């Protein structure tokens, strides 16, 4: 919360912002992630990492910082959507900075995404022809 020796954000406010509040789940390293106040906390080694990403139609960003190492990482791209490049680059930089063994985070992210993708239902082997439209017309209700 300080810049150039000047307190910008109080220690109490920083503590509130960075204290894990909600368990999110595991990560690719077998660690855990928690939601803080706008930040994700990841208990990675050798230092915990705080990060937040964001996306608009044409941009995707990743901002991360490692308080224990006085390190910040910001990746900006001009490609939104399902672009995971900023997260992969930030993770790769973190690993390289701390001398960790190389991991192909791109392949790991793809494999994790492939596992999470629902498989489309199988088409019936011998489908019948569609019914006439009046067979589908009617009043339908669903409590959900």
């Amino acid at each position: 919360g300080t810049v150039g020796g000047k307190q910008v954000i109080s220690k109490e406010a920083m503590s509130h912002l960075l204290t894990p509040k909600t368990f999110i789940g595991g990560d690719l390293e077998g660690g855990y992630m928690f939601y803080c106040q706008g930040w994700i906390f990841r208990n990675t080694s050798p230092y915990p990492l705080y990060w937040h990403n964001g996306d608009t139609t044409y941009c995707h960003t990743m901002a991360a910082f490692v308080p224990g190492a006085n390190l910040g990482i910001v990746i900006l791209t001009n490609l939104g959507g399902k672009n995971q490049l900023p997260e992969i680059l930030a993770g790769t930089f973190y690993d390289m900075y701390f001398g960790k063994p190389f991991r192909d985070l791109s392949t790991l992210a793809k494999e994790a995404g492939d596992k999470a993708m629902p498989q489309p239902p199988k088409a019936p082997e011998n489908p019948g022809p569609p019914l006439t439209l009046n067979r589908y017309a009617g009043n339908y209700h669903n409590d959900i």
Side-chain angles (χ1 to χ4, degrees):
T2 63
V3 175
K6 180 181 177 191
Q7 190 77 35
V8 179
I9 301 172
S10 73
K11 288 182 181 183
E12 294 80 13
M14 286 299 292
S15 177
H16 177 72
L17 286 173
L18 302 178
T19 299
K21 308 279 189 291
T22 306
F23 176 73
I24 295 174
D27 64 15
L28 294 174
E29 293 182 13
Y32 296 102
M33 293 188 293
F34 296 85
Y35 180 76
C36 301
Q37 295 296 313
W39 293 98
I40 304 297
F41 169 82
R42 194 174 103 195
N43 68 330
T44 191
S45 174
Y47 295 100
L49 175 75
Y50 293 88
W51 63 273
H52 184 88
N53 59 3
D55 197 76
T56 64
T57 305
Y58 300 107
C59 302
H60 187 77
T61 63
M62 171 67 165
F65 63 100
V66 184
N70 200 28
L71 173 68
I73 305 165
V74 176
I75 309 286
L76 308 171
T77 70
N78 61 354
L79 179 62
K82 296 183 183 207
N83 171 23
Q84 288 187 307
L85 182 61
E87 292 81 2
I88 292 165
L89 288 175
T92 300
F93 179 85
Y94 181 95
D95 288 352
M96 291 173 70
Y97 187 85
F98 292 111
K100 297 176 85 167
F102 174 76
R103 296 176 300 145
D104 184 351
L105 294 177
S106 184
T107 297
L108 290 172
K110 182 186 180 315
E111 289 170 354
D114 288 348
K115 283 184 196 173
M117 286 293 275
Q119 296 300 313
K122 276 188 135 180
E125 288 185 28
N126 298 307
L131 303 176
T132 59
L133 289 179
N134 66 339
R135 296 288 308 267
Y136 298 105
N139 295 319
Y140 297 91
H141 175 78
N142 185 324
D143 289 335
I144 293 174

